[in-house]
Amino acid sequence: VTEPGPWWGWGSGGERDPLSPEAIAMLVELVGEATPSPAVALDDVSLPDPAPLPDSIVRAVGAGNVLTAKRDRVRHAAGMSYPDLVRLRSGRLEDAPDAVVVPRDREAVVVLLDACAREAVAVVPFGGGTSVVGGVDPAREQFQRLVSVNLSSLRAASVDRRSLTARLGPGLTGPEAERELAAHGVTLGHFPQSFERATIGGFAAARSAGQASSGYGRFDSLVTRARLDAPAGELRTRETPHTAAGPSLREVILGSEGTLGVITEVDVQVRRAPETRQYEGWIAPDFESGAEIVRRLAQEDALPDVIRVSDRTETRVSLGVSGTGGVARRALDAYLALRGRSDGCVVIAGWEGEREAVARRRALGRRVLRGGGAVALGARPGRAWYEGRYRGPRLRDELLDLGYMVETLETAHTWSRLQELYGAVRDAIAGALAGAGSAGLVFCHLSHAYRDGASLYFTWLAPVPPGEEIERWRAVKRAACDAIVAAGGTITHHHGVGRDHVSYMRDEVTDLGVEALRAVKERLDPSGIMNPGKLLPA
Amino acid sequence: VTEPGPWWGWGSGGERDPLSPEAIAMLVELVGEATPSPAVALDDVSLPDPAPLPDSIVRAVGAGNVLTAKRDRVRHAAGMSYPDLVRLRSGRLEDAPDAVVVPRDREAVVVLLDACAREAVAVVPFGGGTSVVGGVDPAREQFQRLVSVNLSSLRAASVDRRSLTARLGPGLTGPEAERELAAHGVTLGHFPQSFERATIGGFAAARSAGQASSGYGRFDSLVTRARLDAPAGELRTRETPHTAAGPSLREVILGSEGTLGVITEVDVQVRRAPETRQYEGWIAPDFESGAEIVRRLAQEDALPDVIRVSDRTETRVSLGVSGTGGVARRALDAYLALRGRSDGCVVIAGWEGEREAVARRRALGRRVLRGGGAVALGARPGRAWYEGRYRGPRLRDELLDLGYMVETLETAHTWSRLQELYGAVRDAIAGALAGAGSAGLVFCHLSHAYRDGASLYFTWLAPVPPGEEIERWRAVKRAACDAIVAAGGTITHHHGVGRDHVSYMRDEVTDLGVEALRAVKERLDPSGIMNPGKLLPA
């Protein structure tokens, strides 16, 4: 098992990514000072002793592939949600897996699941561990023993250049998959913020969406075939661009979040590697008119591959965090004032592909942007966004160090109800922060666009007194989720359900929907060992 | 219940659509003479007496909405597959529903299903009755009583012009839905050959694909939300352009073919009504190079809205059936000889939308067509195809009258394996026809295109001795399906499973997949009354 980062957070090969002094000053000005709250030392993390595992489980993967060192157990004890990170950094982990097991191939997964089912050992499938909804937490529920199954050895890859598809193992990380594909001149085009650490299996299990998904398609829309190894056996769909043979079991495997079995193989559509990438910034008059521009782009088949619109607060914060200061910032301010867009909202638009197609599509897109009242800022903000696109999780580490709570959540709705949803969720988060006595900040961007609607991606940020992190987080999270449900939005556009959204599943799919999913689970995982406590309400 | 056509077949408001003398001459030359085999009179159809229905069922829909007249029972005793039509026309119906019940609204459906579950009355949901895989056959299995539930009263429609979505009742036929949408300036763009009679509910339940689905999207890809009323209650998904909240239950409702419950409402994406439609014909050097052109169109984002490539036999037959004869035909032959395309394959390409977008996309598409060696035939063959696009089912009536067996089936695969699949299925059908002593004809077109592959639509045609229709059909059908499975194709791209493909479901989704679907069925329909004998193998 390689070490993608520090045990207590995201990191990047051990490097830190500190906020600039200007950014910290802005933060203090906006939400006040906080009490620095660095991660404890690994030695100071206390863990329950691991329960010993049955021999059959050790035999399934081989003794050398059963890891029980503290560092391994801690690294697999949480994902990357705010409460996960707080538990890690504070050393107050309630639990950790008894062991991390590393099956070397699919056959070992099959034998392992069989052994775990016989011995009543709970199984948490683990890819990159980047779930932000508690999806890899070691929730034992009724089980005495629990293992985290690290899938990083399942990294096979093959490409069908003619059909533009690839067959990928679940353990490939984003960069590993792209390296394999690049050797064949193709790309998956799937670039979520978790790209550097998340895996193919996780993208499929949690229905990931990437920053360029308006163009390349969400991960689930790229999957053409999937194989799930469940305790009850193998479930495999056929290799075909489409089938009308009944309900889609591929669409049941996708989003199953480890609760039905382990996804051991997926076929995905790929594209030729782009000849060119062109990203640029625009300023729309306000968030609503920015969203209206995106609606027109989507409905007129003129969507760029990346399109995002920040609301006013996010626009202000992102200009601050990007470190644009001094002369450049004054010039930008003067330009925007001149064009009547001082209070405007940043739009990032990006096109990728063959030169000629990009030129054609970009001309179309720019026409719609201008028609909607947006003013071009040129390539520089586009490049800045592109270069910083994986920086979010590292910035979060820094903010947690400084003693701030920072969390994100996302939802989606039709165009007709998007602004209502936006206002309701923003106000709910702001209200909950104020109610807890925090001078918090909430901001949002429109993150993925469709012909019929779009997703909204919210971030909130507030100083939090040490020790009160989880309680405050819970109050804000609940207010936001309740507002989403009341406004008719979906509880998650691409983060998944995990543990944090379980109680909203009945709103999402009705009681009978939950029962239908439970019926599938009982058939595929009769002893209920697969990722307990996730996805399905009891 | 309105009468969309004759009880024994498709028809069109009672009008017939006879083959031209030239077409009949060609047919005789190609496959030989057959023994005319007209439909018997309705009086000569023998049916078992209907079992009386429990009062609770009559009360659920109202006495006036329970139809037991012979004509109604016969009309709901079969769909439109070849064996269905043979059974109807010959008067040798094995069975018919005990009654046709017509719930006037969704509430009546709910009460009805509850009553049927309590009384162990099997339920066959019935939309347009156009299934070509036995999907509406009154298969009683273990039940003594069976009703066909005609959903033609559930015809609500509303449009969200801003989100470009519509909420539609399952009983709307294709033309009815398009009329409702046209009043708001939008279209569904879903034009399967069954358009004139099939319904929204049927499109959803059987995952219909239309002739323009390469452009507008298959019906299932247009559905954004669905409501299913099952015997165990209501299952409803949320109105959203996308959700990551677990496995997709929308994709479980889609394709459920009436076996889980009644689809009582769907939300679909719509598009602005096209300003212009431009259809044209081309001749590709051969089927393989024609398919290669479509692959390039799909992978270079240059797909027309309609694209189809006929193989050599279909090209020859369609030129014959369209009645292009005499001077026009000789001129065409001379032109093709001059361009070296005498043995070529017809390609139909159609673009729909705003004038400017159509001009731009058509220019792109034509460049790829020419680059692939296709020669333009101009707008005339395009118009002819467009005007005759719903003629197939009526021609089939005529061919059955003349004593010919005619049947279609479809499959799909990735581009890498499409030609192998094509050859295998064509040879299997031809071999089975020859084995039965028929001088049969088999032909094919590529019907729907994707970035990763395409569907193949086969037709076969042969004289058949009266009385041997079903047996011969079964032999050919089995040979074709076995060849599809062996070549790794899907058993159905858009016709569905129904009764005819049940035995191939294990190949399609594995044993565990069948069990997963059965688990869902048992939860939603505990007494197993919904459309027995369809979709799931015992």
Side-chain angles (χ1 to χ4, degrees):
Chain A
V1 181
T2 55
E3 288 266 333
W7 62 267
W8 45 262
W10 193 273
S12 169
E15 285 173 54
R16 303 196 60 111
D17 192 354
L19 285 161
S20 66
E22 294 82 4
I24 293 178
M26 182 189 70
L27 190 64
V28 171
E29 187 195 321
L30 288 172
V31 299
E33 301 223 20
T35 311
S37 198
V40 301
L42 183 58
D43 281 348
D44 294 333
V45 178
S46 66
L47 279 189
D49 287 337
L53 292 182
D55 285 349
S56 60
I57 287 174
V58 179
R59 275 200 309 272
V61 294
N65 299 314
V66 178
L67 315 179
T68 54
K70 183 178 191 180
R71 192 179 182 87
D72 293 315
R73 292 178 65 212
V74 168
R75 285 193 52 78
H76 291 76
M80 295 284 165
S81 71
Y82 177 73
D84 278 346
L85 293 177
V86 167
R87 289 188 298 123
L88 279 174
R89 301 165 58 92
S90 68
R92 294 192 302 272
L93 283 172
E94 296 132 27
D95 207 348
D98 295 312
V100 177
V101 294
V102 192
R104 291 297 168 188
D105 52 28
R106 183 205 159 210
E107 286 63 40
V109 172
V110 171
V111 177
L112 174 67
L113 294 184
D114 188 58
C116 289
R118 283 172 202 277
E119 299 281 354
V121 175
V123 170
V124 179
F126 196 99
T130 61
S131 170
V132 289
V133 290
V136 295
D137 291 0
R140 290 177 189 251
E141 305 292 325
Q142 73 270 35
F143 295 94
Q144 303 298 314
R145 294 167 297 188
L146 180 144
V147 293
S148 184
V149 179
N150 185 302
L151 297 162
S152 57
S153 295
L154 278 68
R155 289 207 300 268
S158 63
V159 172
D160 175 350
R161 188 81 174 66
R162 187 173 172 76
S163 307
L164 286 181
T165 58
R167 184 160 293 177
L168 300 176
L172 290 161
T173 64
E176 287 170 346
E178 285 296 346
R179 267 197 298 276
E180 295 278 357
L181 297 174
H184 299 269
V186 296
T187 179
L188 191 50
H190 187 67
F191 306 116
Q193 210 171 44
S194 61
F195 173 74
E196 295 166 320
R197 292 176 62 167
T199 59
I200 295 297
F203 294 152
R207 293 187 177 275
S208 173
Q211 292 164 341
S213 287
S214 293
Y216 289 94
R218 295 183 319 272
F219 192 82
D220 54 4
S221 73
L222 298 176
V223 174
T224 59
R225 171 184 166 275
R227 183 169 67 185
L228 178 89
D229 281 294
E234 180 195 11
L235 198 169
R236 192 175 22 77
T237 68
R238 219 151 168 87
E239 182 184 10
T240 178
H242 178 65
T243 174
S248 172
L249 287 164
R250 189 187 67 233
E251 290 282 353
V252 171
I253 295 172
L254 294 168
S256 58
E257 299 191 5
T259 63
L260 301 179
V262 173
I263 295 172
T264 49
E265 196 174 78
V266 293
D267 288 15
V268 290
Q269 293 190 46
V270 296
R271 296 200 173 223
R272 290 193 192 91
E275 276 177 14
T276 184
R277 286 194 165 92
Q278 296 195 32
Y279 284 74
E280 56 194 39
W282 293 71
I283 291 272
D286 53 37
F287 187 57
E288 191 164 355
S289 60
E292 189 63 15
I293 287 169
V294 179
R295 182 175 77 89
R296 287 195 53 204
L297 287 167
Q299 294 182 348
E300 293 175 18
D301 290 321
L303 266 184
D305 297 303
V306 169
I307 186 77
R308 17 194 308 144
V309 184
S310 296
D311 70 1
R312 277 193 179 131
T313 309
E314 185 170 294
T315 297
R316 225 165 12 133
V317 170
S318 63
L319 289 176
V321 172
S322 70
T324 309
V327 177
R329 179 60 191 270
R330 282 195 297 276
L332 176 63
D333 287 346
Y335 175 76
L336 293 177
L338 188 69
R339 308 292 298 263
R341 294 286 180 272
S342 293
D343 259 353
C345 288
V346 163
V347 178
I348 300 292
W351 293 267
E352 306 196 348
E354 288 170 29
R355 267 175 243 291
E356 190 192 314
V358 164
R360 187 175 63 235
R361 296 172 55 221
R362 183 161 166 253
L364 263 179
R366 289 172 65 95
R367 198 167 67 184
V368 176
L369 278 153
R370 270 193 299 267
V375 170
L377 297 181
R380 195 178 155 149
R383 259 201 314 273
W385 176 83
Y386 186 78
E387 280 158 16
R389 71 201 187 285
Y390 304 133
R391 205 182 165 204
R394 288 196 286 280
L395 286 180
R396 188 150 71 145
D397 285 344
E398 303 299 324
L399 290 165
L400 265 67
D401 270 358
L402 293 170
Y404 293 95
M405 164 163 66
V406 54
E407 178 65 314
T408 63
L409 55 79
E410 23 67 75
T411 178
H413 215 322
T414 53
W415 292 113
S416 288
R417 298 189 59 189
L418 197 69
Q419 293 299 322
E420 173 196 342
L421 178 67
Y422 166 66
V425 178
R426 183 196 54 195
D427 294 352
I429 295 173
L433 287 170
S438 296
L441 203 60
V442 48
F443 47 86
C444 176
H445 63 265
L446 184 160
S447 64
H448 299 86
Y450 304 87
R451 298 179 64 86
D452 54 332
S455 62
L456 297 174
Y457 192 93
F458 290 89
T459 303
W460 78 78
L461 180 64
V464 59
E468 293 185 26
E469 294 93 344
I470 304 281
E471 191 188 327
R472 290 223 181 165
W473 171 82
R474 208 182 299 280
V476 183
K477 175 78 176 173
R478 187 180 304 125
C481 290
D482 289 350
I484 286 172
V485 170
T490 175
I491 199 64
T492 174
H493 173 265
H494 62 271
H495 284 171
V497 179
R499 232 173 159 179
D500 296 349
H501 295 143
V502 162
S503 60
Y504 297 93
M505 276 298 277
R506 294 186 187 281
D507 295 301
E508 194 75 29
V509 300
T510 67
D511 289 348
L512 192 58
V514 169
E515 286 185 48
L517 294 176
R518 188 162 289 288
V520 173
K521 177 170 173 69
E522 287 168 6
R523 198 64 59 109
L524 269 51
D525 173 25
S527 45
I529 56 169
M530 295 306 306
N531 217 6
K534 320 295 160 53
L535 188 61
L536 293 172
Chain B
V1 183
T2 54
E3 287 266 335
W7 63 267
W8 45 262
W10 194 273
S12 170
E15 284 173 55
R16 303 196 61 113
D17 193 352
L19 285 162
S20 66
E22 294 82 4
I24 294 179
M26 182 188 70
L27 190 65
V28 171
E29 187 194 321
L30 288 172
V31 299
E33 302 225 19
T35 311
S37 196
V40 301
L42 183 58
D43 282 347
D44 293 333
V45 178
S46 66
L47 279 188
D49 287 338
L53 293 182
D55 285 349
S56 61
I57 286 174
V58 179
R59 275 199 309 273
V61 294
N65 299 313
V66 177
L67 315 179
T68 53
K70 183 178 191 180
R71 192 179 181 88
D72 292 316
R73 292 178 65 212
V74 169
R75 284 193 53 77
H76 291 76
M80 294 284 165
S81 70
Y82 177 74
D84 278 347
L85 294 176
V86 167
R87 288 188 298 122
L88 280 173
R89 301 165 57 94
S90 67
R92 294 192 303 270
L93 283 171
E94 293 133 29
D95 206 348
D98 294 312
V100 177
V101 294
V102 191
R104 290 299 168 187
D105 51 27
R106 182 203 159 210
E107 287 62 42
V109 172
V110 171
V111 178
L112 174 66
L113 293 185
D114 187 59
C116 289
R118 282 172 203 280
E119 299 282 355
V121 175
V123 170
V124 179
F126 195 100
T130 61
S131 169
V132 289
V133 290
V136 295
D137 290 0
R140 292 177 188 250
E141 305 293 325
Q142 73 270 37
F143 295 94
Q144 303 298 312
R145 295 166 299 188
L146 180 144
V147 292
S148 184
V149 178
N150 185 302
L151 296 161
S152 58
S153 295
L154 277 66
R155 289 205 301 266
S158 63
V159 172
D160 175 350
R161 188 81 173 68
R162 187 172 171 74
S163 308
L164 287 181
T165 58
R167 184 160 292 177
L168 301 175
L172 290 160
T173 63
E176 287 169 346
E178 286 295 344
R179 267 196 299 277
E180 295 278 357
L181 297 174
H184 299 269
V186 297
T187 179
L188 190 52
H190 188 67
F191 306 115
Q193 208 170 46
S194 60
F195 174 75
E196 295 167 319
R197 292 176 63 167
T199 60
I200 295 296
F203 294 153
R207 294 188 178 273
S208 173
Q211 292 164 341
S213 287
S214 293
Y216 288 94
R218 295 182 318 272
F219 193 82
D220 52 4
S221 73
L222 299 175
V223 174
T224 60
R225 173 184 165 275
R227 184 168 68 185
L228 178 88
D229 281 295
E234 180 195 13
L235 198 169
R236 189 174 25 75
T237 68
R238 218 150 170 87
E239 181 184 10
T240 179
H242 177 66
T243 175
S248 172
L249 287 163
R250 189 187 69 235
E251 290 283 354
V252 170
I253 294 173
L254 294 167
S256 58
E257 300 191 4
T259 62
L260 301 179
V262 173
I263 294 171
T264 48
E265 197 172 79
V266 293
D267 287 16
V268 289
Q269 292 191 47
V270 296
R271 296 198 173 223
R272 292 194 190 88
E275 277 177 14
T276 184
R277 286 195 164 93
Q278 295 196 31
Y279 284 74
E280 56 195 38
W282 293 71
I283 290 273
D286 53 37
F287 187 57
E288 190 163 356
S289 60
E292 188 63 14
I293 287 169
V294 179
R295 180 174 78 89
R296 287 196 53 202
L297 288 167
Q299 295 182 348
E300 293 174 17
D301 289 320
L303 265 185
D305 296 303
V306 169
I307 186 78
R308 17 194 309 144
V309 184
S310 296
D311 70 0
R312 278 197 177 129
T313 308
E314 184 170 294
T315 297
R316 230 174 356 145
V317 171
S318 62
L319 289 176
V321 171
S322 69
T324 308
V327 177
R329 180 58 192 270
R330 279 195 300 275
L332 175 64
D333 287 345
Y335 174 75
L336 292 177
L338 188 67
R339 309 291 300 264
R341 293 288 180 272
S342 293
D343 259 351
C345 288
V346 163
V347 178
I348 299 292
W351 292 268
E352 306 197 349
E354 288 170 30
R355 266 176 246 290
E356 190 192 314
V358 164
R360 189 177 61 237
R361 295 172 56 221
R362 182 161 167 254
L364 263 178
R366 290 171 64 95
R367 198 168 65 184
V368 175
L369 279 154
R370 270 193 298 267
V375 169
L377 297 181
R380 195 178 154 151
R383 261 203 311 275
W385 176 82
Y386 186 78
E387 281 158 15
R389 71 200 186 283
Y390 303 134
R391 205 183 167 205
R394 288 197 286 280
L395 286 180
R396 188 149 72 142
D397 284 345
E398 302 299 323
L399 290 165
L400 264 67
D401 270 358
L402 293 170
Y404 294 95
M405 164 162 67
V406 53
E407 179 66 313
T408 64
L409 55 80
E410 22 68 74
T411 178
H413 216 322
T414 52
W415 292 113
S416 288
R417 297 188 58 189
L418 197 69
Q419 293 300 323
E420 172 195 341
L421 178 65
Y422 165 65
V425 178
R426 183 197 53 197
D427 293 351
I429 295 173
L433 287 171
S438 295
L441 204 59
V442 48
F443 48 89
C444 176
H445 63 265
L446 185 160
S447 64
H448 299 84
Y450 304 87
R451 297 179 64 83
D452 55 332
S455 63
L456 297 174
Y457 193 93
F458 290 89
T459 303
W460 78 78
L461 181 63
V464 58
E468 293 185 25
E469 294 92 346
I470 304 282
E471 190 188 328
R472 290 222 181 167
W473 170 83
R474 207 181 302 279
V476 182
K477 175 80 175 172
R478 187 179 305 127
C481 290
D482 289 349
I484 287 172
V485 170
T490 176
I491 200 65
T492 174
H493 173 267
H494 61 272
H495 284 172
V497 179
R499 233 175 158 178
D500 296 347
H501 295 144
V502 162
S503 60
Y504 298 94
M505 276 298 277
R506 293 186 188 279
D507 295 301
E508 194 75 29
V509 299
T510 67
D511 288 348
L512 192 58
V514 169
E515 286 184 48
L517 294 176
R518 186 162 292 286
V520 174
K521 177 168 174 72
E522 287 168 6
R523 199 63 59 108
L524 269 51
D525 174 26
S527 45
I529 57 169
M530 295 307 306
N531 217 6
K534 319 295 159 51
L535 189 59
L536 293 172

